[in-house]
Amino acid sequence: MSDTITTTGIAAHGASRLPSVEIDSFNVELKDEEGFIGDRASKGAFRDILEKWRKPLRKTGEDPFGKEPSENISKKLLDAILVGDDTEASAVVHSAIEDFAQELAYVTRRFLKSKAWERTERIVVGGGFRDSRLGELAIARTEIILRAEDFKIDMRPIRHHPDDAGLIGALYLAPSWIFESHDSILAIDIGGTNIRVGVVETRPKKSPDLAKACVWKSELWRHAEDEPSREQAVKRMVKMLKDLIAKADKEGFKLAPFIGIACPGVIKADGSIEKGAQNLPGNWESRKFNLPASLVEAIPQVGEHDTAIVMHNDGVVQGLSEMPFMQDVKRWGVLTIGTGLGNARFTNRSNGKG
């Protein structure tokens, strides 16, 4: 590779055409009279619905959750209550799931009726909410509601753990030739609460289409607790990357000179962020800030090759982790239920990967 490699080198950031798919739309912010419709199917929206069902019981002193605020009740506890002996508590959770499924069906319906989501055959649902029994029930219930209205749509929870999906999807930002002499890549998943950095193994012997790719090792930093500046956040990311490069090297991995980044917001071709990064530490939308450029400066090479970086929207990257399992459909989408509602719609390119 020559010394003239830019921050992208091999592909534009936030591109609508990737090696395996066309991205028809992402990060779409649909509105109705109440505001952004994605807010109706977010993690916070579920908590608000749970609170609504607890209120009448609280008045009679019969709230099975006692004084615990709805936002503090863990998904684990809610899952246990679903199958537990306390029928009233279970009924409250079931009621909240039903209401949330109605909201998610409303939001999904709006997406399916938009031009960019026309003729979508399957939707995978990711984000932290999916990582629970109540999330899986809400997704299944949403599919039933939509099918009853004659929407021919298949809805399913994202296959990988949402934490891993945001890293594994970064494989599909890289051109396939990268994998010919390397067996792993570096990936970063940036969120409003956490930043996760990992080494993703391709495992092509187990599956040439990367269906068996997995996260070998990852490090998590809950940046929201530390409230760092933007510069401190970049510094910490660089340290996490360097630590993982050293560990992968020690383990004998052939790490590709490639870093795939999943980041909230609308990512421009030069690696800057147009909008949607308001939950990140400091101002990431400044024209003076470019994360890929900052990382290339700090880590100019991986092994003997110049570092290439591709950054894309986090919803897109999470969706891309489903790539090998979407070969039986042409048009498919992803919805990620977290702090907000991430979304992306894909059309498979007929020639597959490469």
Side-chain angles (χ1 to χ4, degrees):
M1 286 186 192
S2 70
D3 292 339
T4 55
I5 194 159
T6 61
T7 61
T8 55
I10 50 172
H13 303 289
S16 59
R17 186 181 174 90
L18 291 174
S20 323
V21 286
E22 300 283 346
I23 300 169
D24 306 308
S25 78
F26 72 90
N27 210 52
V28 171
E29 296 178 325
L30 297 177
K31 286 183 172 180
D32 63 10
E33 57 285 349
E34 289 171 33
F36 292 118
I37 67 160
D39 295 341
R40 296 175 64 153
S42 65
K43 211 164 50 177
F46 177 79
R47 299 295 169 165
D48 292 344
I49 291 167
L50 181 63
E51 183 63 25
K52 182 194 85 177
W53 282 104
R54 289 176 63 194
K55 251 188 190 146
L57 297 176
R58 210 174 286 146
K59 281 180 188 150
T60 56
E62 290 168 9
D63 180 356
F65 297 97
K67 289 192 164 66
E68 192 65 36
S70 291
E71 64 266 23
N72 292 356
I73 303 169
S74 71
K75 287 181 295 195
K76 213 174 187 171
L77 178 62
L78 292 171
D79 280 355
I81 283 165
L82 275 175
V83 293
D85 296 332
D86 186 338
T87 49
E88 190 154 69
S90 181
V92 168
V93 181
H94 273 288
S95 302
I97 289 170
E98 175 60 29
D99 276 8
F100 184 80
Q102 294 288 351
E103 292 294 333
L104 183 55
Y106 168 80
V107 172
T108 308
R109 204 180 292 122
R110 285 289 306 270
F111 274 104
L112 291 172
K113 285 179 175 173
S114 71
K115 187 127 185 63
W117 280 65
E118 260 175 1
R119 295 185 294 165
T120 301
E121 298 157 80
R122 184 176 297 151
I123 297 173
V124 286
V125 184
F129 184 73
R130 170 262 174 273
D131 182 33
S132 59
R133 183 71 184 143
L134 64 102
E136 289 174 354
L137 281 171
I139 295 161
R141 181 74 189 108
T142 303
E143 182 186 67
I144 291 167
I145 293 165
L146 291 167
R147 287 199 169 181
E149 296 168 5
D150 281 340
F151 282 95
K152 290 176 179 61
I153 193 75
D154 177 17
M155 280 185 97
R156 54 174 71 166
I158 206 159
R159 193 169 296 246
H160 296 284
H161 188 285
D163 291 345
D164 288 351
L167 297 173
I168 290 169
L171 287 171
Y172 299 92
L173 298 175
S176 53
W177 55 260
I178 268 215
F179 306 120
E180 281 163 24
S181 51
H182 302 98
D183 57 14
S184 48
I185 67 158
L186 292 159
I188 306 175
D189 187 11
I190 299 165
T193 311
N194 304 322
I195 290 175
R196 191 178 294 274
V197 177
V199 171
V200 181
E201 258 187 278
T202 55
R203 304 209 289 182
K205 285 194 176 73
K206 294 199 172 184
S207 186
D209 65 354
L210 306 182
K212 296 276 194 260
C214 66
V215 176
W216 170 66
K217 223 180 224 8
S218 69
E219 288 184 23
L220 175 75
W221 172 37
R222 296 190 187 285
H223 66 79
E225 291 170 10
D226 297 349
E227 297 182 3
S229 68
R230 189 181 68 198
E231 282 61 38
Q232 286 168 327
V234 172
K235 222 174 176 174
R236 180 72 178 261
M237 257 185 275
V238 168
K239 187 185 179 317
M240 290 162 87
L241 284 165
K242 285 181 172 172
D243 286 352
L244 282 168
I245 290 168
K247 283 174 183 165
D249 194 40
K250 202 173 167 189
E251 199 65 29
F253 277 106
K254 296 191 199 81
L255 205 52
F258 176 84
I259 304 171
I261 306 174
C263 184
V266 177
I267 316 298
K268 287 157 77 171
D270 66 354
S272 59
I273 303 170
E274 193 176 312
K275 60 174 184 175
Q278 61 277 4
N279 294 324
L280 303 182
N283 177 14
W284 289 48
E285 294 170 25
S286 158
R287 280 205 299 267
K288 295 188 184 113
F289 178 63
N290 188 297
L291 179 63
S294 303
L295 294 179
V296 163
E297 206 176 312
I299 305 173
Q301 288 193 312
V302 177
E304 292 161 16
H305 301 284
D306 292 344
T307 306
I309 296 183
V310 178
M311 182 158 95
H312 219 305
N313 171 265
D314 54 349
V316 167
V317 177
Q318 205 171 124
L320 288 172
S321 70
E322 287 285 312
M323 200 64 233
F325 319 109
M326 293 292 142
Q327 297 311 303
D328 58 329
V329 291
K330 187 162 175 65
R331 298 172 193 86
W332 54 285
V334 62
L335 296 173
T336 60
I337 302 170
T339 318
L341 184 80
N343 60 81
R345 216 299 284 261
F346 307 94
T347 300
N348 287 341
R349 288 174 57 189
S350 52
N351 63 346
K353 199 161 170 50

